[in-house]
Amino acid sequence: MIYVNDHIDDFDLEAALPLLSEQRREQVMRFRHELGRRTSTAVYLLLCEGLRSEYGITEKPVFTYGPHGKPMLTGHPEIHFNMSHCREAVTCVLSDCPVGIDIESVGRFNESVARYTMNDEELQTILQADRPDVAFIRLWTMKEALLKLSGHGLCDNMKDVLLDAPEITTVESPDGRYVYSVVYGQKITTEQEK
């Protein structure tokens, strides 16, 4: 299930801080700016909401981290999740299989960044679009979601990330402020875990 909160300006950070685990509160307070603290807190609370709604889990989640930094729920290896935030919104996805999600604000289009991160076909799609800014962000979130699925972060060759990619769902907010993409991996069965 995918959860989105795009009311970040209305979010009461001080009221929300006591709702965080000690681990998350420490992570939140490392952000220098209030926006980073606000979005990091809001996305954690979305995860809490999802865990309560879908799994009946009411304790504050604590994370362990994979070799590339992907968070996992301590004590619940069967639950997969991923979180992302941007200036306008936060999003969280929970699943019974590995999952990746990315959300980004739609901003001014920068062709030099597109040329550096997109392959020729992707670049043509962007440049021919009615809204190159949205087309770029759609492809960018697809790439990041796929990298987050695997637990890897940004890589040196972003141009090839989507080659042979599984199906990726992309959604543009109704007001056009942000785009998010989500991708699901294969469910790991007991035989695959051995």
Side-chain angles (χ1 to χ4, degrees):
M1 180 64 85
I2 300 170
Y3 296 84
V4 178
N5 176 354
D6 58 7
H7 300 286
I8 301 303
D9 292 335
D10 303 333
F11 186 77
D12 186 346
L13 178 62
E14 292 307 313
L17 285 174
L19 304 174
L20 306 180
S21 69
E22 182 178 331
Q23 177 195 51
R24 188 61 174 195
R25 195 168 27 258
E26 288 174 8
Q27 292 169 340
V28 163
M29 297 314 289
R30 288 187 197 129
F31 284 93
R32 282 196 259 163
H33 300 288
E34 184 178 338
L35 180 62
R37 290 178 180 180
R38 182 185 302 264
T39 56
S40 184
T41 299
V43 77
Y44 179 86
L45 293 180
L46 273 185
L47 174 64
C48 292
E49 177 185 334
L51 290 171
R52 235 181 352 267
S53 296
E54 294 182 42
Y55 300 97
I57 297 172
T58 57
E59 67 262 12
K60 298 173 184 175
V62 174
F63 306 142
T64 54
Y65 295 90
H68 301 288
K70 184 173 183 174
M72 297 169 282
L73 292 174
T74 302
H76 296 283
E78 75 284 5
I79 301 173
H80 300 270
F81 76 98
N82 205 230
M83 305 180 296
S84 186
H85 51 82
C86 66
R87 178 174 298 280
E88 279 72 34
V90 299
T91 187
C92 175
V93 60
L94 291 110
S95 179
D96 62 351
C97 64
V99 63
I101 196 164
D102 186 56
I103 190 167
E104 298 289 339
S105 303
V106 175
R108 197 182 74 175
F109 174 64
N110 183 325
E111 188 173 334
S112 63
V113 172
R115 288 187 182 283
Y116 183 73
T117 58
M118 302 293 161
N119 64 39
D120 292 340
E121 184 179 329
E122 293 164 345
L123 187 59
Q124 283 304 102
T125 298
I126 293 167
L127 295 176
Q128 292 172 359
D130 290 338
R131 296 266 324 262
D133 54 344
V134 173
F136 173 78
I137 292 298
R138 287 179 73 85
L139 285 163
W140 181 263
T141 60
M142 291 170 70
K143 290 177 185 232
E144 275 215 55
L146 189 59
L147 290 168
K148 289 173 74 176
L149 167 71
S150 68
H152 292 85
L154 298 178
C155 63
D156 291 337
N157 189 5
M158 291 295 288
K159 292 181 179 187
D160 294 338
V161 169
L162 295 179
L163 299 178
D164 301 318
E167 181 180 338
I168 301 173
T169 302
T170 303
V171 176
E172 181 181 345
S173 67
D175 59 8
R177 294 183 306 145
Y178 60 86
V179 171
Y180 71 85
S181 292
V182 62
V183 59
Y184 297 89
Q186 282 190 319
K187 185 173 180 176
I188 299 171
T189 64
T190 308
E191 286 300 310
Q192 289 172 313
E193 292 173 324
K194 291 181 181 178

